[in-house]
Amino acid sequence: MRIGYAGLGVMGGPMARHLITAGHDVAGYNRSPAKAQAWAEAHGGRFAGTAAEAASGAELFVLCVGNDDDVRQVVSEALAVLEPGAVIVDHTTTSARVAREMAQASQAQAVSFIDAPVSGGQAGAENGQLSVMAGGDAEALDRARPVLMAYSKAIQHMGPPGAGQLTKMVNQIAIAGVVQGLAEAVHFAQAAGLDTDRVYEAISKGAAQSWQMDNRWKTAAKGEFDFGFAVDWMRKDLGLVLDEAQANGARLALTELVDGYYAEVQAMGGGRWDTSSLKARLPAP
Ligand SMILES: NC(=O)c1ccc[n+]([C@@H]2O[C@H](COP(=O)([O-])OP(=O)(O)OC[C@H]3O[C@@H](n4cnc5c(N)ncnc54)[C@H](OP(=O)(O)O)[C@@H]3O)[C@@H](O)[C@H]2O)c1
């Protein structure tokens, strides 16, 4: 299939590479062109200097950029050249509002727009094991699904435009509380003078087990945070969550608290640290 891909960062770069490996003809575009140039040379993709160039002649246009405004900009440039019948799949984490807006603008040109945020992080993108939660036209998603499976382990259709983004918000709410719980657990173990490795062995097979515990306990205990999913991205996501909660009436006391803790981590210079850096606020006594 002829595919345009915009946003060749930590997530988009490896996702677009998987599409080439699967045998598709992929044109890659990125805001800083050097990244797109390096990606095209390394993986045998076509370099595109603009979003419109990447979208030109594409049956499928995929993006994974930064925030709402980035999506608005890239999608409007792509819509100027996409043919009727084309499908846009947006893997960026955005507001549900922008997903609905983009779906409406696309529909006006007989193009389908699917909001399709992902979970699984950098490792999931590299290994082609992402979980995709999608909103929008189910029939268009079914057409794109075999292509998207090049980097996904599961693709779930959640409902109308915006439903994918709302599901991703649920994911981030659940993560925020777990990560703060993990930070306090490690902190308490250190305050109590316990050996944190042995505590992990003792409790990680029981009811306290979580992905965060299995993947972040040891690094949090050592104060290592220079990797993983950045606090700046998490704050963007929690901002979207808290906005949406204001509109739908959900009460998110814990999420609000943890968002404030992440603001403190940013003030400590940890904007690019992994989300487990909530532990950095609670050093060993
Ligand atoms: N990293 C994760 O673990 C993870 C997991 C799930 C979801 N996400 C979400 O996925 C999205 C991307 O995350 P990421 O970690 O891949 O970020 P990233 O490494 O910063 O990649 C974003 C890429 O998009 C490009 N870009 C941004 N705005 C653009 C625009 N207006 N036009 C063209 N290109 C643009 C950036 O170009 P430049 O080179 O110029 O900056 C960058 O290469 C975010 O919404 C994030 O919340 C990330």
Side-chain angles (χ1 to χ4, degrees), residues 1-5 19 24-27 46 54 58-60 62 147:
M1 192 183 268
R2 210 174 149 95
I3 300 171
Y5 203 108
L19 296 176
H24 300 293
D25 171 7
V26 186
R46 279 186 292 122
E59 299 154 78
L60 178 65
V62 187
V147 179

Side-chain angles (χ1 to χ4, degrees), residues 6-12 29-32 35 64-67 69-71 73-74 91-94 118-122 168 228-230 233 236-237 272:
L8 300 167
V10 168
M11 300 297 285
Y29 159 69
N30 193 71
R31 181 173 54 195
S32 45
K35 223 184 253 181
C64 187
V65 288
N67 56 32
D69 284 341
D70 296 319
V71 168
Q73 183 194 342
V74 169
H91 290 308
T92 316
T93 303
T94 71
V118 298
S119 104
Q122 181 175 3
K168 173 75 182 183
F229 183 59
W233 280 143
K236 172 196 68 140
D237 294 358
R272 298 301 296 181

Side-chain angles (χ1 to χ4, degrees), residues 121-133:
Q122 181 175 3
E126 296 284 354
N127 304 331
Q129 294 290 307
L130 293 169
S131 296
V132 181
M133 36 216 113

Side-chain angles (χ1 to χ4, degrees), residues 12-270:
M15 288 157 105
R17 161 171 57 81
H18 283 296
L19 296 176
I20 295 174
T21 308
H24 300 293
D25 171 7
V26 186
Y29 159 69
N30 193 71
R31 181 173 54 195
S32 45
K35 223 184 253 181
Q37 213 113 39
W39 169 87
E41 274 165 30
H43 309 301
R46 279 186 292 122
F47 167 82
T50 63
E53 193 182 325
S56 174
E59 299 154 78
L60 178 65
F61 183 76
V62 187
L63 61 156
C64 187
V65 288
N67 56 32
D68 281 19
D69 284 341
D70 296 319
V71 168
R72 285 192 181 97
Q73 183 194 342
V74 169
V75 169
S76 79
E77 288 174 31
L79 279 176
V81 298
L82 284 169
E83 302 285 341
V87 178
I88 300 176
V89 173
D90 179 22
H91 290 308
T92 316
T93 303
T94 71
S95 65
R97 185 183 58 244
V98 90
R100 292 181 199 115
E101 243 174 71
M102 295 302 100
Q104 206 168 19
S106 301
Q107 195 180 23
Q109 307 202 20
V111 170
S112 303
F113 179 93
I114 311 285
D115 52 294
V118 298
S119 104
Q122 181 175 3
E126 296 284 354
N127 304 331
Q129 294 290 307
L130 293 169
S131 296
V132 181
M133 36 216 113
D137 179 1
E139 186 272 327
L141 176 64
D142 282 343
R143 274 191 283 139
R145 189 184 294 271
V147 179
L148 307 182
M149 283 311 291
Y151 47 75
S152 313
K153 68 175 175 194
I155 301 173
Q156 189 120 10
H157 184 249
M158 302 306 305
Q165 297 296 350
L166 292 172
T167 306
K168 173 75 182 183
M169 291 177 202
V170 176
N171 187 73
Q172 301 307 70
I173 293 165
I175 286 177
V178 170
V179 178
Q180 176 61 14
L182 189 81
E184 291 185 13
V186 175
H187 175 65
F188 179 90
Q190 290 172 333
L194 293 167
D195 175 332
T196 53
D197 284 350
R198 294 182 63 198
V199 173
Y200 173 78
E201 290 310 319
I203 70 171
S204 62
K205 307 288 180 286
Q209 188 273 342
S210 66
W211 185 96
Q212 297 291 344
M213 181 172 281
D214 286 346
N215 293 281
R216 298 292 187 260
W217 176 279
K218 291 190 178 173
T219 44
K222 284 189 272 188
E224 292 173 4
F225 307 116
D226 207 3
F227 64 96
F229 183 59
V231 166
D232 287 345
W233 280 143
M234 186 59 161
R235 281 220 77 207
K236 172 196 68 140
D237 294 358
L238 295 181
L240 299 171
V241 165
L242 294 171
D243 280 354
E244 192 67 40
Q246 216 157 35
N248 70 17
R251 293 183 299 168
L252 304 181
L254 181 60
T255 308
E256 227 170 298
L257 204 59
V258 174
D259 183 51
Y261 295 159
Y262 277 125
E264 290 178 31
V265 175
Q266 284 176 314
M268 293 167 69

